[in-house]
Amino acid sequence: MPAEDTRGEAEDIEVRDPVSAPDPDGVARRHTRRFPLFTKDTARPEGAGRAAAGDALAARQWPIIVVLALVAAGLLVTALDQFRAGTIVIGVGLLTGAVLRWLLPGVGMLAVRSRFTDIVTYVVLGATIVLLALMAQPDPWLQIPFLKDTLHFTVSS
């Protein structure tokens, strides 16, 4: 029985735009912005491997480790019955993430969206958590005068 060609019919197809991801040297083989009709290659994976050596994969991840450590410390303090201090630490952790995202060009997994969107998200969440922690009852550390009147107006209407 003759050996069957395992390459299939794909080798017989003439591809007018034979380009794909950059080669191992980083040189783009694509000279047009149009997508090829058939994909013959895959792009190299994103991640720390491009910026750091293979043995230093965690080198780019220190910003998110700092943020997660602050949030974990805040959760621990909250679990130890110090609600206000713990939630303030959580909010400060998120605000620290915003500062790191703003100042550093490469932040690893701390970068989820565009720089602007990440910074706005971290600032809004962090500031909201801190403000709510400061206004939490009983004996709030921060009192906003118009808030009581606004709440009274909305509840009594």
Side-chain angles (χ1 to χ4, degrees), residues 72-132:
L75 289 172
L76 180 64
V77 170
T78 303
L80 295 175
D81 207 21
Q82 296 295 323
F83 168 76
R84 194 179 316 269
T87 51
I88 288 173
V89 171
I90 292 170
V92 167
L94 291 173
L95 292 172
T96 302
V99 170
L100 290 174
R101 184 70 171 106
W102 182 31
L103 294 177
L104 300 176
V107 290
M109 291 187 345
L110 190 62
V112 178
R113 302 160 214 89
S114 69
R115 183 180 302 265
F116 175 78
T117 305
D118 282 342
I119 291 171
V120 168
T121 303
Y122 290 133
V123 166
V124 167
L125 290 175
T128 301
I129 290 172
V130 169
L131 286 175
L132 289 174

Side-chain angles (χ1 to χ4, degrees), residues 50-81:
R50 285 187 171 184
D55 59 342
L57 290 178
R60 283 184 54 196
Q61 304 307 327
W62 71 267
I64 196 162
I65 292 171
V66 168
V67 172
L68 289 175
L70 283 169
V71 171
L75 289 172
L76 180 64
V77 170
T78 303
L80 295 175
D81 207 21

